[in-house]
Amino acid sequence: MTNGNGTPEAGQAPQLNVLAQYTKDLSFENPNAPVSLQPQSQQPQINIQINVNANNLSEHEYEVVLSVEGKAENAGKVMFSFELAYAGVFRIVNVPQENLHPLVMIECPRLLFPFAREIIATAVRDGGFPPLMLDPVDFVGLYRQNMERQMAAQGQVKPS
């Protein structure tokens, strides 16, 4: 499959296929209902955290998990909170080794995000609130932040 140095032979196009998508975990809490459902005098403070993890399942297959956690608070009280782990199994072939990690950690979650966004919007709506439409995510920026954090944790200097 390769020409000896880890790069694909000429004529073999890189391939990224989605084999499966699924909800691994979903939690929605509305701990102060019905009070939290009453009209509020101010907009809630909404905090969202997004993480990406990947597991190598076989030589060419990877499970990528997009984790999204969020909480809406108003006057120090939680209006709602949610956690979603949305995953996909991807088959990746004919991709040079140096491009594999960024592909798995950037492009795969980018493909999963619209589905996770819809699940969250629906869960929040079904909890009695207007649907929460998450803003698009810069997965390239998230990848760079995570790589810089890993390098700092290992005591390495950031490349210029």
Side-chain angles (χ1 to χ4, degrees):
M1 290 192 109
T2 65
N3 62 10
N5 64 2
T7 59
E9 290 180 12
Q12 292 183 331
Q15 292 181 8
L16 170 63
N17 302 102
V18 182
L19 302 181
Q21 291 180 224
Y22 46 93
T23 300
K24 281 188 85 128
D25 186 27
L26 174 62
S27 168
F28 179 87
E29 295 180 18
N30 187 352
N32 294 305
V35 174
S36 62
L37 299 174
Q38 297 174 350
Q40 305 292 316
S41 60
Q42 61 187 22
Q43 291 281 19
Q45 181 71 29
I46 298 176
N47 296 312
I48 307 288
Q49 291 187 324
I50 297 176
N51 288 303
V52 177
N53 291 305
N55 301 311
N56 191 322
L57 301 175
S58 67
E59 183 181 358
H60 298 291
E61 293 180 6
Y62 301 84
E63 179 192 50
V64 177
V65 181
L66 177 61
S67 299
V68 185
E69 296 180 22
K71 183 186 291 187
E73 295 178 298
N74 201 347
K77 291 199 178 234
V78 174
M79 295 180 69
F80 64 82
S81 64
F82 62 85
E83 294 180 16
L84 171 65
Y86 190 74
V89 175
F90 298 86
R91 177 177 293 132
I92 303 171
V93 294
N94 300 326
V95 173
Q97 191 64 38
E98 65 271 11
N99 296 342
L100 189 58
H101 192 257
L103 182 69
V104 168
M105 300 302 283
I106 296 170
E107 291 306 320
C108 293
R110 192 182 319 222
L111 292 169
L112 295 173
F113 181 76
F115 300 96
R117 181 179 193 237
E118 179 61 30
I119 291 167
I120 290 166
T122 300
V124 171
R125 186 199 66 216
D126 290 350
F129 299 94
L132 176 62
M133 300 307 290
L134 297 178
D135 290 334
V137 175
D138 176 12
F139 286 103
V140 173
L142 184 64
Y143 177 76
R144 286 182 180 144
Q145 279 180 339
N146 287 337
M147 294 307 291
E148 288 173 8
R149 193 174 315 126
Q150 286 178 10
M151 288 172 59
Q154 295 171 356
Q156 296 178 350
V157 178
K158 179 179 152 187
S160 309

